[in-house]
Structure formats: C-alpha cells, structure tokens
Amino acid sequence: MAAIQMFSTKRLIYLLIALLTTSLFLLWDRYDEFQILPEPPYRSRTGSQKQTHLVEIQIFPEINDTEINDINSHASAITSKMSLVESKVVYALNETISLKIVLFDQRNRPKTRGGDLLIVWMRDKSKGAASAGTVIDHDNGTYTGVLRILWTGQAVIRAAILSSREKMAFVYRELNNGYTGKRIECLFNVNNLTESTSGYMDNRFLKMGEICNLTDKHYGVPLYCYKPKKKGIQCSDWTGVTSETILPFPARPNTKWYLSSAGPGILPGNVTVTVPSATNTSMTSQIPCTRTTFKTTWLSKPVGFFYNFTWNPLSCINNITVKDYDRCLANRTLRMFGDSTVRQLFSFLIKHLNLTWRIGPWQTAANFVPTDKWYSYSEAYKKGFNYTVFWSPHGLPMTFVNANRTAIRPSFVHLDEIPSVSRDIVLINLYAHFHFFPVHIFRSQVKRIRQAIERLLIRSPDVKIVMKGPHYFVVDRVVTTFGRMWGPVYDKIIRQEFVDLYDNVIYLDLWDMLISVESTGVHPSEQILNTMVRTLFGYVCTK
C-alpha cells in the first residue's frame, strides 16, 4: 500500500513538473509579444491645451461644409480684441505676461468655439529685442497668450490669427478630395521613344486607365503614373520626373473667401509694457549649447529671444562664432538635405567660408535664393581643413525638371548610404513642397527618415543629426494650399515621429525665431540665415 502511494506521489510530481515546463515554454514563446509595447501617444508635457509644439493640438477640426462656406461666421482679426489679463503695465525680468484674446466673427459676433490658430509675440526694436509666446485655447472663442519677460526696457505685444479653424478644415477637405497643387510628370524613355504621363503620390485620386505602379522603383515611396500610350514603351522604361508646374486652386463661388485670405490676420492695436532696469539686462544661461542635452532642443519653450539683434537660446549660451566653423567641420562632411531654403544655407556657407565648388556652381539671386538648376545636387569643399559640404534635394514632391531616378532619391536613401563609424553632421528639412499634397504624404516621409536615422545611429553613434523644423513666413497672394499654417502641423508630426529619439537627435526649432522678428519671406534674409547657421553650429560644435 505504501509503495502504491509513493508511486502515485511520484506520478503527481512528474505531472506537475511537465505542466510547469509546458507553461514556461508557452510564456517564453510569447516573451517578445510581452516586450513589444504600443508606440506611446504624443503626450503633453505641460498638462494644458497650449497651442505650442509641446502638446497635441487639433489642427484639422471636423467641420461640416455649411460652417466652412459660411464666411460670416469665420474669425475676423479686424473685429477681435486683445488686452492684458492684469491691469499692470510694469513687469520685472523673468515675469510672465498673460494676454486675453477674444475672437469675433465677420459680423462682430463673439466666437463660441475654439480651434483657431493664433500667435503672439513682442518686440523692442530700439534694443534689437524680440520673442514669441504661446497661446492657450479655452475652446469657447477666447484665448490666453503667454509671454515671458526676457529683457529690460519696453516691449510692444502683438497677436495674430495664423489661420481660422474653417480655413484649416477647408484645406484638409480639399486635399483629401483630390486637389493637388503641383503637377508630377513621369518620364519614359526607350530606344529613342519618349513620353510623359501624369503622376500621383496617392493612388486614391487616379482615374480610369492603365497604371504603372512605380513605388518599388521609387525606393518604396508611393508613385503611380498612367501607362504610356506609345507602342514599345513599358512601365519598366520609367527614367525620371518633372515636377515644377504649380496648379492654382480652382476658383468657385464658395471658395473666393479662401483665395482672398492672404497675409497675417494681425489684431488691431497693441499692448506696451515696461520692464525697469535690473542687474542683468536680459535672461541668459551659462550652459554652452554644445553641452546641453539634445532633448532640451525638443522641449525648451520659449526656444529663445533676440537681444542686441543676436539670437539667444534660452536653455543654453551659444559661444560659437564663424571663426569656429572651419575647425568644427575639419575632416568631416556636412550633409544637408532639403529644399531651396536649405540650399540657401549651403550657399551662405560657400560665401562665408570661402569654399571651392566641386559640383556646381549654380546661380543664386538675392539672399542666396537659388535660380539656375537649383534642384541639382551641389557640393563644395575646403582643402586646408579637409572637409566637404553638400546639399541634396529631399526627393518628391520637390521641384525637379527632367530629373533622373538617381537625382530624386529620398533623403532616407542617402542616410542609409552614410558609412559606419561616421562623424559627419547631417541636417534634414522637409517643408514647403509638401504643402501641395495631403498631410499623410509628409508624415510617411518623416517616418521613413526616422527609421533610417535609427539604423544610422546603430552603425555610427558619433554622427550628429539635426532635424530642421518649419519656419514662419507670409503669403501675399493665396493661389494654392501653400501657406504658413502648415508650420504647426508639420512641427507636430515631426515631434510625434521622433518622440523616442529626443535624446539622439537635435531639433532646430526656428518657428519662434522668425515670428518674433516678423520675417515674411519663405526664403529668409541673409541676416536670418546667419542666425540659423550660428544656431546650428552652436549645437554641433565644441569650443
């Protein structure tokens, strides 16, 4: 009896061991599943609804067509009002100013819903001082502008409607209904036979007809072209693109208001405050920018301010001058990817560093705005310090003329070509040419760039990577979906996609810089270019 009981006990123990082993095996098989956490949402680090780059904002509110077409209900800068929340007009250095903004519509009726995009800034032109603030949307037609006192003297405060909620919803609707602001022509060439057909980066808008899906040949970026009609030309004969024709927005009775919505909607009047003299005449940091964490460049708000016509980052001190640029670039390559605004920076460096052209030169106009063949890859060098600087277009939907497939390679393809153990400096910017297309095309490109950067950092951890953010400008005449309101939209997307790389990538946030000095051109002045370049080198160079 005892033997039988012992046998039963052993069987029970073996059975338990088998069950435990099986359970562990199943758990281990699902180990990776447990480790893969969902991508974190774009989270607010302030817990508020500030209309800034640090939190999620509703850029494209859901509005029905009746609301969009009722222009009398749109917010009007002329009828809207602003005033100080507190009655005092004298403030101390580093204090915060709160500005009450109440929006009214075209018929002088108070707005009862939020969603409009506003900006606030202040200047003291006599001291070359300027800064931008943030705006809190109370979702009832009222807003609070928040500005920080960063210098002594006086400051004139202004506010503007960057875009009404109806305008943003209108643009979003039209782009998603098939409007495209730029024509893409696909070029085919074989055995002296040539043909061009219409191309699209979104297959939802293709009409009837045979299609060439060129996505695989276009490095995985969606590109669909109508099949050539000439006998003997196949989809495989695709050689490149032309994408320079801008398509004006169709004028319809219910869109006239949009086509007349140019210029910033600056609210009437202004508010002037005084800041008495103090021991320090402006707010400054003692931490060199080269020693600050990369994450700070994503989170700092305000980003900085002008004083004595010099830009001062608020989180660090920039002690780098143009005399340090050569030493910083020695034995390295500065790789710049972007549109004509990044090409401006390239041309600026050629002039001020006295570089020698290796590929080029191409013509430029005032403020280094490129003209002749500006979309072509350009390269220059400095022999004495053994460094190279190049600019390359970021790929479609940028402007190209008879460009071959190599010339239109996206930025992420170039990033994958950077060799291991590189110490290069990389600057990337996507902006103006995406304004003509649905926003998901921009997000897709940013995502692919982020993935390429992750791969690059694994094989070259010492490379310095800079994402250049959007900049403010003014549109004098609305003819397309091109406009300044895309700045906050794209900034939001970049921050969402790069949230896990804040410690590894520098963010060159230029939005506040250009708002504060009321810069108007999509191609900034040489003075602003100098400030941008100095800010860039302040983060990537050591003293």
Side-chain angles (χ1 to χ4, degrees):
M1 186 73 179
I4 294 174
Q5 190 174 22
M6 181 180 294
F7 178 75
S8 299
T9 301
K10 286 183 177 180
R11 289 186 63 186
L12 180 61
I13 292 173
Y14 291 151
L15 180 60
L16 289 173
I17 291 173
L19 288 172
L20 180 61
T21 302
T22 303
S23 299
L24 288 173
F25 177 80
L26 291 173
L27 286 171
W28 182 260
D29 189 52
R30 294 185 62 202
Y31 177 77
D32 287 342
E33 180 182 335
F34 294 141
Q35 297 305 300
I36 299 174
L37 301 177
E39 185 174 297
Y42 187 60
R43 49 194 178 273
S44 166
R45 292 176 173 81
T46 61
S48 70
Q49 296 180 0
K50 286 185 179 179
Q51 281 188 339
T52 73
H53 315 299
L54 299 186
V55 301
E56 184 134 13
I57 52 180
Q58 186 63 38
I59 294 294
F60 296 115
E62 294 183 6
I63 303 175
N64 60 46
D65 290 348
T66 301
E67 289 183 84
I68 292 176
N69 296 333
D70 181 13
I71 61 174
N72 290 321
S73 67
H74 298 188
S76 167
I78 296 174
T79 59
S80 298
K81 299 175 175 60
M82 68 173 181
S83 60
L84 288 171
V85 172
E86 299 182 56
S87 58
K88 68 175 185 176
V89 293
V90 178
Y91 288 81
L93 193 65
N94 205 30
E95 270 196 283
T96 296
I97 298 174
S98 294
L99 192 69
K100 181 180 180 180
I101 303 172
V102 182
L103 295 189
F104 290 80
D105 67 15
Q106 304 289 333
R107 290 187 174 177
N108 204 25
R109 298 170 299 192
K111 296 283 289 182
T112 58
R113 294 180 62 178
D116 300 278
L117 193 60
L118 278 64
I119 55 175
V120 294
W121 69 99
M122 59 185 184
R123 296 185 71 177
D124 183 346
K125 293 184 178 181
S126 66
K127 292 192 173 183
S131 68
T134 57
V135 178
I136 300 172
D137 183 351
H138 299 295
D139 202 28
N140 60 3
T142 68
Y143 301 77
T144 300
V146 181
L147 300 111
R148 187 173 166 188
I149 297 293
L150 300 172
W151 64 83
T152 60
Q154 281 195 329
V156 178
I157 303 173
R158 304 298 303 270
I161 301 175
L162 192 65
S163 178
S164 69
R165 64 193 298 269
E166 292 83 6
K167 182 176 181 179
M168 290 185 283
F170 171 81
V171 168
Y172 184 72
R173 182 191 71 184
E174 295 301 313
L175 286 173
N176 281 281
N177 284 345
Y179 168 74
T180 299
K182 180 185 286 189
R183 177 181 293 127
I184 297 176
E185 297 177 58
C186 301
L187 310 178
F188 298 84
N189 191 326
V190 61
N191 298 329
N192 294 323
L193 293 174
T194 62
E195 188 172 341
S196 64
T197 68
S198 296
Y200 300 84
M201 299 186 73
D202 191 328
N203 63 2
R204 293 179 300 164
F205 308 131
L206 293 169
K207 300 177 182 178
M208 297 297 292
E210 292 187 274
I211 302 299
C212 294
N213 184 350
L214 303 176
T215 301
D216 287 344
K217 297 178 183 295
H218 189 225
Y219 310 96
V221 176
L223 181 62
Y224 307 90
C225 303
Y226 285 106
K227 188 175 180 180
K229 295 181 179 180
K230 287 184 180 179
K231 187 176 180 180
I233 303 180
Q234 305 296 324
C235 293
S236 58
D237 299 320
W238 174 60
T239 58
V241 301
T242 287
S243 53
E244 65 172 341
T245 303
I246 303 300
L247 303 175
F249 195 86
R252 302 191 300 266
N254 63 348
T255 62
K256 289 182 179 180
W257 66 269
Y258 174 75
L259 297 173
S260 62
S261 61
I266 300 178
L267 273 62
N270 55 63
V271 173
T272 301
V273 297
T274 301
V275 185
S277 298
T279 303
N280 297 317
T281 56
S282 65
M283 296 294 299
T284 55
S285 173
Q286 298 303 314
I287 302 173
C289 292
T290 190
R291 295 182 184 176
T292 191
T293 63
F294 289 177
K295 180 178 284 189
T296 301
T297 64
W298 295 90
L299 303 182
S300 178
K301 207 63 175 178
V303 177
F305 64 102
F306 280 99
Y307 189 74
N308 286 334
F309 304 97
T310 300
W311 178 254
N312 302 276
L314 203 57
S315 61
C316 58
I317 183 169
N318 188 353
N319 55 9
I320 298 295
T321 69
V322 68
K323 296 179 180 179
D324 301 307
Y325 295 176
D326 283 336
R327 177 187 52 79
C328 175
L329 293 172
N331 303 311
R332 306 168 91 171
T333 297
L334 172 57
R335 304 167 182 263
M336 309 172 78
F337 305 99
D339 57 21
S340 57
T341 61
V342 177
R343 174 66 195 272
Q344 277 186 285
L345 300 178
F346 171 80
S347 299
F348 178 91
L349 290 174
I350 286 181
K351 173 185 175 182
H352 291 276
L353 297 182
N354 194 27
L355 303 184
T356 302
W357 282 91
R358 181 177 285 133
I359 300 177
W362 317 120
Q363 299 297 318
T364 60
N367 293 333
F368 305 103
V369 178
T371 53
D372 178 52
K373 294 184 179 180
W374 73 267
Y375 43 82
S376 301
Y377 175 90
S378 305
E379 186 175 307
Y381 68 97
K382 196 161 194 176
K383 185 175 181 180
F385 288 87
N386 189 35
Y387 69 78
T388 296
V389 179
F390 76 65
W391 172 85
S392 179
H394 60 55
L396 288 176
M398 219 183 80
T399 293
F400 293 100
V401 178
N402 296 325
N404 62 36
R405 287 158 54 178
T406 300
I408 65 172
R409 286 184 301 169
S411 299
F412 62 82
V413 176
H414 290 275
L415 293 176
D416 282 333
E417 294 172 349
I418 297 177
S420 299
V421 200
S422 171
R423 293 181 54 254
D424 291 349
I425 301 169
V426 179
L427 174 72
I428 308 163
N429 174 244
L430 307 179
Y431 191 29
H433 294 266
F434 288 87
H435 293 194
F436 306 107
F437 297 87
V439 70
H440 71 83
I441 293 176
F442 177 83
R443 181 183 289 278
S444 176
Q445 288 284 304
V446 173
K447 187 186 294 288
R448 296 289 296 271
I449 287 172
R450 186 252 300 161
Q451 293 167 344
I453 287 174
E454 290 172 340
R455 295 189 292 270
L456 173 58
L457 288 171
I458 291 173
R459 67 181 185 273
S460 298
D462 292 330
V463 71
K464 294 286 182 70
I465 304 171
V466 182
M467 280 297 296
K468 176 179 175 287
H471 64 275
Y472 174 81
F473 63 91
V474 174
V475 174
D476 294 323
R477 181 169 172 261
V478 175
V479 293
T480 66
T481 50
F482 182 74
R484 61 192 175 276
M485 76 173 190
W486 290 105
V489 177
Y490 291 169
D491 176 90
K492 171 187 170 184
I493 291 172
I494 293 170
R495 291 175 186 273
Q496 286 177 335
E497 293 299 330
F498 277 79
V499 68
D500 293 327
L501 289 178
Y502 284 7
D503 290 321
N504 309 100
V505 176
I506 297 166
Y507 190 46
L508 197 61
D509 187 346
L510 305 173
W511 186 255
D512 287 4
M513 178 190 293
L514 274 72
I515 284 179
S516 65
V517 292
E518 302 172 22
S519 178
T520 58
V522 66
H523 293 102
S525 67
E526 183 171 358
Q527 183 180 1
I528 294 294
L529 293 176
N530 179 50
T531 301
M532 290 180 177
V533 170
R534 182 171 176 270
T535 303
L536 166 67
F537 279 87
Y539 287 117
V540 300
C541 302
T542 57
K543 188 81 171 178

